[in-house]
Amino acid sequence: MRSIGELARASGLTVSALRFYDSAGVLVPALVDPVTGYRWYADDQLAPARLVAGLRRIGMPVAEIAAAVRAEPAAVHRLLDVHLRRLEDGLADARRELSRIRALVGPEKPAGTVRIALSRAELAYAIDAVRFAVGTDPELPALTGVLFDVAPDGLRLVTTDRHRLALARAGATRPAGPAVRVLAPAGFVDEVRALLDGDAAPEARLSVADDTITVSVADRTVTVSPLPYDFPDYRRLLRVAAGDAPAYRIPVDAVALRTALRRPGAPTIAREYDGVPIAVSVLGVDDRGGLRVLEPEEAGPGDGLRFGVNGDYLLDALDAAGGPQLVLELDGPITPLAVRRPDDDAALSILMPIRL
């Protein structure tokens, strides 16, 4: 038998929490001393106590915690799925409200005017590498633009629609001014991209003032006011920030993979997300260590790695990266995967996998 203090230390619950869950009928002591009132718990109550502690940390309601303690594993997983959807809906609501509040407050003002000169070709490449991942959901206005993350050494463009994230860099030839982050409307970025075509000057000039973003090429200029929303902290998804090596770094023959994905009758799994059908492609590693499309029930060769991804999104990432040889990085079948060019570590697309 364990005292209430011993169970508290072993389970991660406080003594007061154990008393509360006793009164709520969630975790009742095996024995209560009739004279002293001390609570005693059996050894087999440690696992349920740890489960209660975990469910408490993720904010599950008491009634559902009580049900989970008494349920079979399959039923507990269903409760967890319901709670996860509740958390996701709450987070989406909070993000929308934050965007409304930030719009009321107005955008953060940069300290003075920031000016940098960029390679026209590098800026065009960066726009092409990220434009496909701009969000279109009006309920998430912070994702409907392109982040201009300006640093003394250049410009990083970032886009995301929640399911994928794209990032590319254009180095500065003449940096000037402090670092600043502004969110540019997608239409403005499309106008900038049109300026960069043809026989224009080799440089593009970017300036960010209190309430404007301006890009000039030769004698042509495009100006816009930044969007008044807070773009997500994309750095949390970047492996370069953590300095870790991926578990898998798979060479990709981009031409062959495009052909396999676009082939009529290519093997896919039909899924649905928010009422929209999705064709999920199953990928694995071939006998030579390269990436290939698997049949839905086919076991992955080698160590058996299999993972699913939205095939259309993967094609977008391949097209945006360009080049015949790419690299795909991931840690496992349900972790974000990155598509990179082997000669450019500063540009990548991150895709969310789909659980098979």
Side-chain angles (χ1 to χ4, degrees):
M1 303 290 284
R2 298 172 185 262
S3 70
I4 190 170
E6 290 169 336
L7 186 66
R9 289 189 293 273
S11 66
L13 290 167
T14 63
V15 170
S16 60
L18 284 169
R19 292 194 183 107
F20 168 76
Y21 287 118
D22 175 14
S23 64
V26 176
L27 195 62
V28 178
L31 174 67
V32 178
D33 190 298
V35 177
T36 64
Y38 289 167
R39 296 169 171 85
W40 296 91
Y41 295 83
D43 279 343
D44 60 6
Q45 290 184 285
L46 177 57
R50 287 175 171 166
L51 175 62
V52 169
L55 298 176
R56 174 188 174 95
R57 283 192 293 271
I58 63 173
M60 182 174 280
V62 174
E64 293 180 19
I65 292 177
V69 169
R70 298 174 177 83
E72 295 296 321
V76 176
H77 283 292
R78 287 194 292 271
L79 286 170
L80 290 172
D81 290 339
V82 169
H83 186 60
L84 179 59
R85 287 193 292 272
R86 182 189 303 132
L87 292 174
E88 290 172 341
D89 291 343
L91 181 58
D93 290 342
R95 282 178 172 152
R96 284 192 288 270
E97 193 58 37
L98 278 170
S99 293
R100 294 188 186 100
I101 293 170
R102 291 184 186 279
L104 290 173
V105 174
E108 183 179 355
K109 304 292 186 182
T113 300
V114 178
R115 296 185 179 89
I116 60 174
L118 303 159
S119 160
R120 180 178 61 85
E122 285 189 19
L123 181 56
Y125 162 70
I127 292 174
D128 291 342
V130 305
R131 181 61 179 85
F132 73 96
V134 173
T136 58
D137 187 348
E139 293 294 311
L140 297 169
L143 307 186
T144 60
V146 179
L147 178 68
F148 279 51
D149 193 348
V150 182
D153 63 341
L155 168 68
R156 182 175 278 176
L157 300 183
V158 192
T159 58
T160 181
D161 61 2
R162 287 196 306 160
H163 309 291
R164 51 199 174 160
L165 179 146
L167 179 148
R169 182 176 175 276
T173 58
R174 294 196 304 278
V180 64
R181 301 172 79 214
V182 290
L183 188 60
F188 164 79
V189 175
D190 292 339
E191 291 184 61
V192 171
R193 182 63 184 86
L195 285 184
L196 302 172
D197 284 333
D199 298 325
E203 280 189 347
R205 296 179 302 280
L206 168 68
S207 67
V208 181
D210 287 350
D211 56 358
T212 59
I213 310 170
T214 301
V215 174
S216 301
V217 180
D219 58 349
R220 296 177 294 165
T221 298
V222 180
T223 300
V224 76
S225 296
L227 296 175
Y229 307 115
D230 188 36
F231 193 82
D233 183 7
Y234 68 91
R235 293 180 182 88
R236 292 189 304 168
L237 277 176
L238 298 185
R239 182 172 304 284
V240 292
D244 298 330
Y248 297 92
R249 198 167 193 270
I250 308 168
V252 178
D253 182 333
V255 176
L257 183 58
R258 283 192 194 94
T259 301
L261 291 170
R262 289 178 171 143
R263 175 174 58 86
T268 59
I269 298 174
R271 290 284 177 84
E272 187 175 289
Y273 181 79
D274 283 350
V276 178
I278 298 173
V280 179
S281 297
V282 183
L283 304 176
V285 182
D286 62 25
D287 295 331
R288 293 172 295 178
L291 190 70
R292 75 179 181 92
V293 179
L294 303 178
E295 295 292 334
E297 302 303 325
E298 181 182 355
D303 62 1
L305 175 67
R306 302 171 69 247
F307 56 96
V309 68
N310 183 318
D312 291 336
Y313 285 0
L314 180 56
L315 283 169
D316 286 342
L318 296 176
D319 292 340
Q325 297 299 320
L326 303 173
V327 174
L328 187 142
E329 298 176 351
L330 72 163
D331 283 327
I334 57 171
T335 59
L337 52 100
V339 177
R340 297 180 181 268
R341 284 175 51 162
D343 59 345
D344 186 1
D345 286 339
L348 77 160
S349 297
I350 295 177
L351 307 180
M352 297 298 109
I354 298 175
R355 188 186 296 273
L356 297 175

